[in-house]
Amino acid sequence: MSVSRFPVRILGIDTSCDDTGVGIVELAPDGSARVLANRVWSQTVHAQYGGVMPELASREHVERIDRVTGDALAEAGLEVNDLEAVAATSGPGLVGALLVGLMYGKGLAQALGVPFYAAHHLEGHIFAAASEADLKAPYLALVVSGGHTHLFDVPREGEYVLVGATRDDAAGEAFDKIARLAGLGYPGGPAISEAALRGAPDAVPFKEPLQGQKGFDFSFSGLKTAALLAHKAGAKPEDLAAGFERAAVRFLVKTTLRAAQACGRETVVVSGGVAANRALREAFAASGVRAVFPGKDLNTDNGAMIALAGAAAIRAGREPSALSEGAVAYAPLANA
Ligand code: KG4
Ligand code: ZN
């Protein structure tokens, strides 16, 4: 079963973590894809625990998925029968949470008699940014989220070469942990960013991680330890936030620029929840490299990015996925 008519309306579902995301995109005959709807139900139940509780996440997805899908269809002004394909994240992520969206997506595709595409969560993040500028490979991709900090070289569409990754925490995870330590709330990224505006970045010393490395890895454990020590010594939360954010942003940008130069890439795609960070966007804008970011509401987890991954699969003539496709907690994207 494949898609034969254009434009193709693809519904995408992401339930990999704590957001129930459903989006719809339209793929035009010229290969461009446009987001028609993007609805995300962000689960608040986890805030009291300071981190995501997997079983609670799965239950909330079960309760919400149908309603979020209805909302996405309404936003796009479509009926369910107008859909020509369905895509859902199969990994990486929390298996119980992934299964909700994956099963729902397969069921919907089966009921409608349309093709189903299993999508990779990180590829979704990358497409969220790339499609914003109708960008095609080659480019370098920095994925910075709560679960990932990865640098991929993308020499051709659909080909991913891992050139660097975090050795410990993901960037967003470090934002979340330091925000929690400083009593700034959850999720930590936006909280740190907001507090940083009121803080003095030089008040707490943060050393650049992995100084002098030849490769393009990341590490946030040193910054976390520095924050902990400063907190114990009585540092103000806003000063911690300002110092950490500046150090993390400089480190991310510097490493990415070195990698772009080594790979000979002139364009960098920056995506994932941390790509929403204002200081990171400003630093890339000032760096001279062409940096492409996701559009509004497409930085953090969402279904539209998965619909965009589905659109890319259709554009590339990929066979639809088997309905036996399972959910996977760990799924490397790099294929070279
Ligand atoms: O992509 P995402 O929604 O989920 C994962 O796939 O992990 O990313 C969530 C992460 C959280 O750690 C959150 O604190 C971070 O993105 N984040 C930010 C900002 N907005 C969200 N980090 C820094 N600055 C922000 N403005
Ligand atoms: Zn994500």
Side-chain angles (χ1 to χ4, degrees):
M1 196 192 325
S2 62
V3 170
S4 51
R5 325 175 255 152
F6 281 93
V8 187
R9 276 97 178 222
I10 306 139
L11 182 117
I13 303 171
D14 185 80
T15 59
S16 59
C17 193
D18 58 343
D19 293 309
T20 313
V22 181
I24 299 171
V25 307
E26 186 173 79
L27 175 65
D30 67 359
S32 63
R34 190 164 66 93
V35 176
L36 301 182
N38 183 33
R39 305 297 292 213
V40 179
W41 166 258
S42 289
Q43 304 177 358
T44 51
V45 60
H46 309 286
Q48 59 189 301
Y49 305 103
V52 179
M53 303 299 280
E55 175 58 19
L56 295 183
S58 309
R59 287 186 214 172
E60 292 242 334
H61 288 311
V62 170
E63 277 174 27
R64 291 282 165 174
I65 183 104
D66 207 43
R67 199 183 311 176
V68 180
T69 303
D71 289 347
L73 285 165
E75 187 182 331
L78 297 176
E79 300 291 332
V80 72
N81 287 315
D82 296 327
L83 298 172
E84 279 107 2
V86 178
T89 309
S90 59
L94 303 169
V95 168
L98 283 166
L99 276 173
V100 179
L102 191 59
M103 294 305 151
Y104 187 92
K106 286 179 187 175
L108 187 59
Q110 185 80 341
L112 294 173
V114 301
F116 171 78
Y117 294 89
H120 193 287
H121 184 77
L122 296 190
E123 199 170 25
H125 272 306
I126 293 171
F127 283 128
S131 69
E132 187 65 20
D134 267 333
L135 181 69
K136 301 284 175 294
Y139 53 77
L140 192 79
L142 170 67
V143 184
V144 261
S145 69
H148 303 90
T149 304
H150 285 68
L151 262 176
F152 296 102
D153 185 30
V154 189
R156 274 170 289 280
E157 285 299 298
E159 193 175 322
Y160 302 93
V161 183
L162 185 68
V163 295
T166 184
R167 297 184 185 175
D168 38 62
D169 285 12
E173 194 179 353
F175 271 87
D176 292 338
K177 287 180 178 168
I178 291 174
R180 189 172 165 192
L181 170 81
L184 291 170
Y186 176 88
I192 293 258
S193 215
E194 193 271 326
L197 292 174
R198 293 177 276 111
D202 291 315
V204 179
F206 282 96
K207 254 182 50 199
E208 182 188 322
L210 305 182
Q211 257 189 55
Q213 69 157 332
K214 295 270 184 299
F216 312 104
D217 278 347
F218 299 98
S219 167
F220 293 94
S221 59
L223 297 180
K224 235 172 44 184
T225 307
L228 178 65
L229 294 176
H231 172 70
K232 283 187 175 161
K236 286 200 259 169
E238 55 271 31
D239 291 345
L240 269 185
F244 165 72
E245 182 178 61
R246 188 177 70 178
V249 163
R250 282 184 177 171
F251 176 46
L252 285 167
V253 173
K254 187 174 162 186
T255 311
T256 305
L257 293 186
R258 279 198 304 110
Q261 197 175 28
C263 297
R265 302 298 172 221
E266 284 163 7
T267 307
V268 175
V269 156
V270 188
S271 59
V274 183
N277 186 274
R278 180 190 33 80
L280 184 71
R281 287 180 175 234
E282 285 171 4
F284 268 113
S287 75
V289 79
R290 180 184 178 212
V292 175
F293 288 85
K296 195 174 171 300
D297 301 329
L298 295 183
N299 296 288
T300 46
D301 291 350
N302 65 83
M305 71 186 199
I306 298 307
L308 288 167
I314 293 170
R315 197 165 49 213
R318 211 181 87 191
E319 279 296 308
S321 307
L323 289 181
S324 57
E325 182 101 27
V328 273
Y330 302 101
L333 177 60
N335 47 12

